[in-house]
């Protein structure tokens, strides 16, 4: 990942985690807790793609596993968000811009339900049966509802910030041509030759002029040696 991606992702994940632990978790809403961290991962994955989404999801989930008051095994939520970030990155739109809100809402609902199911499945594998006592159906319904209501205020802003950070002048297509011109300038300044198709007749004239200039010098040097 690029440096700007790492810095932006880290800042957004930390802010989302702090808000989720200090604000959303204390609302005591029925059922699940609104997952601001999940929405942040989704917004970044829809811009960065499946690889970037998996990396961001793993890092965000690991921070959530280690942040108090964590009551589950470390790495559990990291695995969940890593998978969700990878799958959400596969739905990345062209140029990182959504054509309609329907697609993003479907991704949010699928991610909310999928993350809850995967979290419960991993918990069952390690012996955590809390989802059975709470009621998995209620968790799925409330998780999808809360995340769907919160998504319009989070996901578009996250994607806009990620797209803005991606607009690096050095990564634009025009920079390739600029780089070619700069490299040609360096070569021409060192050799006195004009490179590329722009030279045309001027490039050939430059070669002839250089040859004409060098020829008398060679003759003079030979003449000195003969004397």
């Amino acid at each position: 990942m690029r440096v700007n991606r790492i810095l932006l992702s880290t800042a957004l994940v930390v802010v989302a985690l702090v808000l989720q632990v200090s604000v959303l978790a204390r609302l005591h809403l029925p059922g699940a807790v609104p997952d601001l961290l999940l929405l942040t991962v989704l917004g970044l994955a829809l811009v960065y793609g499946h690889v970037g989404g998996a990396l961001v999801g793993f890092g965000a989930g690991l921070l959530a596993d280690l942040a108090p008051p964590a009551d589950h095994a470390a790495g559990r939520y990291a695995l969940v968000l890593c998978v969700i970030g990878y799958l959400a990155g596969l739905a990345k739109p062209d140029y990182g811009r959504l054509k309609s809100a329907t697609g993003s809402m479907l991704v949010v609902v699928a991610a909310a339900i999928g993350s809850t199911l995967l979290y419960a499945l991993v918990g069952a594998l390690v012996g955590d049966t809390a989802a059975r006592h709470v009621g998995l159906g209620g968790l799925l319904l409330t998780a999808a509802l809360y995340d769907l209501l919160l998504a319009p205020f989070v996901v578009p802003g996250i994607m806009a910030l990620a797209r803005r950070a991606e607009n690096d002048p050095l990564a634009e297509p025009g920079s390739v041509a600029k780089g070619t011109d700069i490299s040609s300038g360096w070569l021409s300044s060192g050799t006195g030759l004009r490179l590329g198709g722009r030279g045309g007749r001027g490039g050939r004239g430059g070669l002839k002029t250089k040859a004409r200039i060098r020829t008398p010098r060679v003759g003079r040097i030979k003449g000195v040696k003969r004397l």
Side-chain angles (χ1 to χ4, degrees), residues 35 44 62 65 70 128 140 145 178 180-181 194 219 222 227:
D35 201 340
L44 293 174
L62 189 60
D65 290 332
D128 186 4
L140 293 176
L145 179 61
K178 294 180 181 179
T180 305
D181 294 339
R194 296 182 61 183
K222 290 182 179 180
L227 292 176

Side-chain angles (χ1 to χ4, degrees), residues 8 18 25 27 40 42 59 99 117 121 132 138 156 170 179 212 221:
L8 179 63
V18 171
L27 295 178
T40 302
L42 291 180
K99 298 181 179 179
L117 288 175
L121 177 61
R132 297 180 182 178
L170 297 179
R212 293 175 182 176
I221 294 174

Side-chain angles (χ1 to χ4, degrees), residues 76-181:
R76 180 176 172 182
Y77 203 47
L79 175 62
V80 172
L81 287 187
C82 180
V83 175
I84 295 299
Y86 180 85
L87 296 177
L90 295 177
K92 172 186 175 182
D94 296 336
Y95 305 104
R97 297 186 178 182
L98 295 173
K99 298 181 179 179
S100 64
T102 305
S104 60
M105 295 299 103
L106 292 176
V107 172
V108 170
V109 172
I113 296 176
S115 61
T116 305
L117 288 175
L118 187 58
Y119 186 83
L121 177 61
V122 176
L125 294 177
V126 297
D128 186 4
T129 59
R132 297 180 182 178
H133 303 289
V134 176
L136 186 58
L139 286 177
L140 293 176
L141 180 60
T142 54
L145 179 61
Y146 295 154
D147 292 347
L148 189 59
L149 292 176
L150 190 60
F153 304 98
V154 178
V155 176
I158 297 295
M159 294 183 65
L161 288 175
R163 287 197 304 266
R164 186 173 182 179
E166 286 293 287
N167 291 334
D168 187 1
L170 297 179
E172 294 180 355
S175 64
V176 178
K178 294 180 181 179
T180 305
D181 294 339

